[in-house]
Amino acid sequence: MDWKPGHYLLLALALYALVVTLGFSQRGRQLSSLRQEVRVLGQKAAWAPEGYLLPLPGACLPARPENLPGAPRPYRKGVSAGFVFIGGDACVPVVRGMGVVAAFGGEVVKVEAGYKEPSPEEYQGLLEAVREGASPEQMDLLRGLEVWIRHPDGRTSVYAHLEAPYRGLKVGQRVFRGDPIGHVGNTGLMGGAPRLLFEIWEGEPDRGKYLFQGLKGEALLREAKAFFGLE
């Protein structure tokens, strides 16, 4: 049977009814075990695999090659690891302060609430330092203010160049698909139009493989549309 979110929810409700019934007739380890199972099923109902969504409500996938994963980034002799949503290439206006949502449920593992922009001299020095490649720590600086979410499937999503995280968002907090997590900005760019860099990594960012790595052109867009349920 192919389990859907509703199946988990119905089973959780059935078990809850059983817990209530047993609560009137007996106590002990069996009741405690059932309560724990209800909690687990409740989490599965909330995190059930409905699929990932794009982090800007109403947006479409970028069409310009330079805004897709794998696009060259000469300033660090590397490639972009994600999608860049920017005005004119996102099907919705991309403006400073617009809301960014979680692409999938998971645990918040990074919130850069205290991010500070480098000086022009520091930024130029960083660009010089990464011409032959950037370390994970240097990539953190290049991406500006970020929020990271670790998902139950082992992936981690990165939301970068934010103006600010969503108010009250904290490391260790659990969020669900579509929950607000931040606001569009242009941090880490030393100016320029507001945008959102959105990356999904297999495991920890900058230390493994990014989603759709190795794909290009129509093959990349075809796989991405299927992944985000846009077909």
Side-chain angles (χ1 to χ4, degrees), residues 192-204:
R195 69 197 64 192
L196 173 69
L197 172 60
F198 172 55
E199 302 172 352
I200 299 179
W201 292 81
E202 304 290 349
E204 188 175 353

Side-chain angles (χ1 to χ4, degrees), residues 27-215:
R27 299 178 184 276
R29 286 180 297 178
Q30 184 179 13
L31 184 57
S32 176
S33 176
L34 282 169
R35 283 174 174 161
Q36 176 62 27
E37 192 166 353
V38 168
R39 285 194 292 270
V40 171
L41 285 168
Q43 289 179 348
K44 285 186 176 182
W47 284 0
E50 299 171 301
Y52 284 70
L53 52 74
L54 295 181
L56 292 182
C60 62
L61 290 170
R64 299 174 191 163
E66 65 268 26
N67 292 331
L68 296 172
R73 292 293 184 265
Y75 65 87
R76 63 183 176 93
K77 291 191 175 180
V79 296
S80 173
F83 298 92
V84 177
F85 295 94
I86 192 169
D89 196 29
C91 296
V92 293
V94 180
V95 298
R96 185 185 303 276
M98 73 181 297
V100 178
V101 302
F104 198 53
E107 179 184 355
V108 177
V109 294
K110 176 179 282 192
V111 179
E112 291 187 322
Y115 176 80
K116 181 181 178 181
E117 289 278 13
S119 67
E121 294 76 18
E122 290 171 334
Y123 188 73
Q124 189 58 43
L126 175 61
L127 293 184
E128 291 293 331
V130 299
R131 289 190 183 278
E132 300 300 325
S135 68
E137 293 73 23
Q138 289 169 323
M139 280 307 306
D140 275 348
L141 296 173
L142 291 169
R143 283 193 290 245
L145 192 152
E146 303 170 84
V147 168
W148 293 9
I149 300 173
R150 182 179 297 127
H151 306 290
D153 61 7
R155 296 186 175 105
T156 302
S157 56
V158 173
Y159 310 79
H161 302 312
L162 300 176
E163 178 181 50
Y166 188 68
R167 184 176 59 183
L169 192 72
K170 298 178 181 179
V171 170
Q173 181 177 336
R174 291 186 175 181
V175 296
F176 300 118
R177 182 178 184 263
D179 278 355
I181 54 125
H183 303 276
V184 168
N186 65 349
T187 55
L189 297 167
M190 299 302 290
R195 69 197 64 192
L196 173 69
L197 172 60
F198 172 55
E199 302 172 352
I200 299 179
W201 292 81
E202 304 290 349
E204 188 175 353
D206 304 311
R207 300 183 188 276
K209 184 178 180 181
Y210 60 83
L211 196 63
F212 309 122
Q213 187 168 335
L215 294 177

